[in-house]
């Protein structure tokens, strides 16, 4: 599960917000969770689940049903970190949590047709594109030494995917088709987008994670998009993937969560 819980889940209440985060996670029965915007809530959530916990930074953390064998450090801990998890029977999973910069905000430029696709892509170079390229560069030796073991890299990438912004989807993207550099870099590095691997048509299954609040605050939150991902490589097969944006009282975050069930091959 990948989930930006929005300021530690506390935006709707210091205690009740975190409680609703816990309830939402428990309802999925997720074995491993990559949190973003942890901000002091990670230990509480992990304890409530009875899970192992690794605080990468104030922002990122990993909650795991499985023991944490060792940790992975690369780039900046506010943006990236990971762990090797012992899933039993001598098997391991490399689990990596990611947050990329929230700027540039491309919403207005696209909705108002202010910039070309090329100009929008160029704007990505100084933040998200630079970050993902540096992360992938630094973890390449780790991936190469991983001996084809399962790898999951997930998080809040804060940008759309080239798999969604295609010529076929121009009509829902204000006439734009964009080869977003972050998702393109992930693909070139051998990662597969688990949601899009199972939901191949973005017109039928948009998978929007930004934002569940848009129905009541569309002007404030701008363009809706799929910006949270669970990527994988190695001997894994996704058998279910869905967006989670529901709580029976009030969903506690401005990001929907992404949940993927994998089969080990």
């Amino acid at each position: 599960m990948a989930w930006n819980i929005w300021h530690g889940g506390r935006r709707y209440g210091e205690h009740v917000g975190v409680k609703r985060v816990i309830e939402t996670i428990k309802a999925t029965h997720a074995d491993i969770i990559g949190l973003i915007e942890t901000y002091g809530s990670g230990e509480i959530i992990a304890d409530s689940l009875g899970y192992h916990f690794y605080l990468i930074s104030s922002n990122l953390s990993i909650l795991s049903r499985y023991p944490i064998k060792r940790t992975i450090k690369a780039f900046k801990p506010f943006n990236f970190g990971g762990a090797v998890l012992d899933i039993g029977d001598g098997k391991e999973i490399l689990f990596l949590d990611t947050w990329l910069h929230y700027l540039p905000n491309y919403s207005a430029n696209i909705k108002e047709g202010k910039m070309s696709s090329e100009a929008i892509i160029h704007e990505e170079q100084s933040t998200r594109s630079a970050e993902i390229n540096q992360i992938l560069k630094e973890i390449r030796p780790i991936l190469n030494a991983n001996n084809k073991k399962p790898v999951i890299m997930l998080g809040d990438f804060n940008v759309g995917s080239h798999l969604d912004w295609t010529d076929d989807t121009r009509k829902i993207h204000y006439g734009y088709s964009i080869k977003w550099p972050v998702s393109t870099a992930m693909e070139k590095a051998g990662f597969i987008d688990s949601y899009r691997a199972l939901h191949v048509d973005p017109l039928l299954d948009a998978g929007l994670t930004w934002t569940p609040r848009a129905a009541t605050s569309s002007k404030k939150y701008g363009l809706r998009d799929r910006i949270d991902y669970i990527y994988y490589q190695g001997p894994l097969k996704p058998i279910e993937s869905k967006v989670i944006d529901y709580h029976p009282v009030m969903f506690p975050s401005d990001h929907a969560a992404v949940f993927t069930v994998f089969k080990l091959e």
Side-chain angles (χ1 to χ4, degrees):
M1 185 178 189
W3 196 11
N4 181 326
I5 60 172
W6 199 21
H7 292 190
R10 293 185 163 94
R11 287 300 292 263
Y12 289 133
E14 185 71 18
H15 302 292
V16 73
V18 179
K19 180 174 179 287
R20 289 171 185 164
V21 168
I22 293 165
E23 291 167 348
T24 303
I25 294 173
K26 282 185 175 180
T28 69
H29 304 287
D31 296 300
I32 315 168
I33 304 103
L35 290 185
I36 303 93
E37 294 199 27
T38 301
Y39 298 142
S41 298
E43 294 90 338
I44 300 167
I45 299 167
D47 283 350
S48 296
L49 297 170
Y51 279 16
H52 302 274
F53 180 66
Y54 172 41
L55 184 64
I56 300 166
S57 64
S58 62
N59 185 23
L60 301 177
S61 62
I62 294 170
L63 293 72
S64 172
R65 186 188 302 274
Y66 308 107
I68 297 169
K69 293 187 71 173
R70 58 186 180 276
T71 59
I72 303 295
K73 295 177 173 63
F75 194 55
K76 303 172 184 177
F78 196 82
N79 297 89
F80 183 81
V84 176
L85 307 178
D86 181 354
I87 59 172
D89 297 325
K91 296 179 180 179
E92 299 175 343
I93 282 182
L94 178 58
F95 190 83
L96 308 169
D97 197 9
T98 313
W99 177 84
L100 302 183
H101 208 287
Y102 66 94
L103 294 175
N105 183 346
Y106 53 89
S107 179
N109 289 329
I110 286 175
K111 292 181 78 171
E112 298 171 21
K114 290 181 177 180
M115 299 174 68
S116 66
S117 296
E118 292 75 18
I120 290 168
I121 290 171
H122 180 73
E123 272 207 325
E124 292 288 311
Q125 303 307 314
S126 62
T127 56
R128 291 182 285 257
S129 182
E131 288 169 348
I132 199 63
N133 285 326
Q134 185 60 33
I135 289 168
L136 291 171
K137 178 182 177 181
E138 291 187 24
I139 66 171
R140 191 173 299 127
I142 299 169
L143 296 177
N144 290 341
N146 198 47
N147 197 26
K148 297 184 179 179
K149 293 177 183 176
V151 182
I152 295 171
M153 182 170 167
L154 49 62
D156 171 11
F157 288 65
N158 267 315
V159 69
S161 169
H162 72 288
L163 299 176
D164 299 350
W165 290 70
T166 66
D167 289 339
D168 292 337
T169 63
R170 283 179 182 270
K171 61 185 179 183
I172 63 169
H173 290 139
Y174 299 87
Y176 283 89
S177 171
I178 302 176
K179 293 188 180 300
W180 292 106
V182 169
S183 58
T184 301
M186 290 295 291
E187 186 174 84
K188 287 181 179 177
F191 284 95
I192 301 169
D193 181 333
S194 65
Y195 184 86
R196 195 52 73 213
L198 293 175
H199 306 279
V200 296
D201 189 343
L203 289 174
L204 294 176
D205 298 288
L208 303 174
T209 62
W210 178 261
T211 167
R213 293 172 56 81
T216 55
S217 310
S218 59
K219 187 173 183 180
K220 177 180 178 181
Y221 287 93
L223 187 73
R224 297 201 69 195
D225 205 355
R226 186 170 72 101
I227 64 173
D228 303 85
Y229 305 91
I230 299 175
Y231 287 99
Y232 73 97
Q233 61 177 249
L236 290 169
K237 180 181 180 181
I239 57 176
E240 179 188 4
S241 189
K242 59 185 177 181
V243 169
I244 297 164
D245 57 6
Y246 172 77
H247 182 278
V249 180
M250 181 181 286
F251 191 73
S253 180
D254 57 349
H255 283 251
V258 185
F259 176 78
T260 298
V261 178
F262 290 99
K263 178 182 178 182
L264 278 166
E265 294 194 311

